[in-house]
Amino acid sequence: MLTHRLVPEHLMAVIDLTHEQAVALIAEGRLSVQLDCEQQQRLRLFVNILHRLEWRLNHDSDAIRHALDLPLAVLDNKAPAQLFCGSIDDLRAVRLSIDSVEAPKVKWYRTGH
């Protein structure tokens, strides 16, 4: 699920985990604590944000990590990571702002035969 060498602090902010728990979730895909309903909803939104970034940035891990810390005009010049510790509505705003992330340019070359 979290295969982009994410910074554990992002996950810690989203669902209020300890550093060790966040590292275990990122590295091993396991969660050793029970999440309440709000934490589950926040985690689902975070995973949806990551999925949208993956599609937008062609699964480029470096670009995904960079995009989480890049200020966006849609978010009043705040980085998505700055809103991770906010409310559910803040996470929804981050999810909607993903479409404004600059996608890499793909160059196509036509070669003759």
Side-chain angles (χ1 to χ4, degrees):
M1 173 181 82
L2 305 171
T3 60
H4 298 289
R5 295 184 317 273
L6 297 176
V7 179
E9 286 75 18
H10 293 330
L11 198 52
M12 291 167 57
V14 172
I15 56 174
D16 193 30
L17 296 176
T18 66
H19 188 268
E20 293 79 21
Q21 292 168 335
V23 168
L25 182 56
I26 291 169
E28 301 167 10
R30 67 176 172 83
L31 188 60
S32 60
V33 295
Q34 188 73 18
L35 299 178
D36 62 25
C37 288
E38 182 181 349
Q39 288 175 315
Q40 290 174 11
Q41 185 176 10
R42 294 174 67 82
L43 182 59
R44 280 193 299 270
L45 281 169
F46 182 68
V47 169
N48 188 262
I49 289 166
L50 288 179
H51 281 229
R52 285 172 175 248
L53 279 171
E54 282 180 338
W55 281 103
R56 182 92 178 146
L57 301 174
N58 298 322
H59 302 277
D60 182 354
S61 295
D62 292 330
I64 291 169
R65 286 191 307 275
H66 178 68
L68 292 175
D69 295 321
L70 185 69
L72 298 174
V74 177
L75 298 174
D76 297 326
N77 289 322
K78 293 181 181 175
Q82 291 176 309
L83 298 176
F84 286 163
C85 60
S87 68
I88 294 286
D89 291 330
D90 289 338
L91 286 174
R92 287 188 181 120
V94 170
R95 184 180 61 187
L96 293 174
S97 73
I98 298 306
D99 293 335
S100 68
V101 171
E102 183 81 19
K105 304 288 188 252
V106 178
K107 293 185 178 181
W108 292 89
Y109 297 97
R110 185 178 183 132
T111 57
H113 295 288

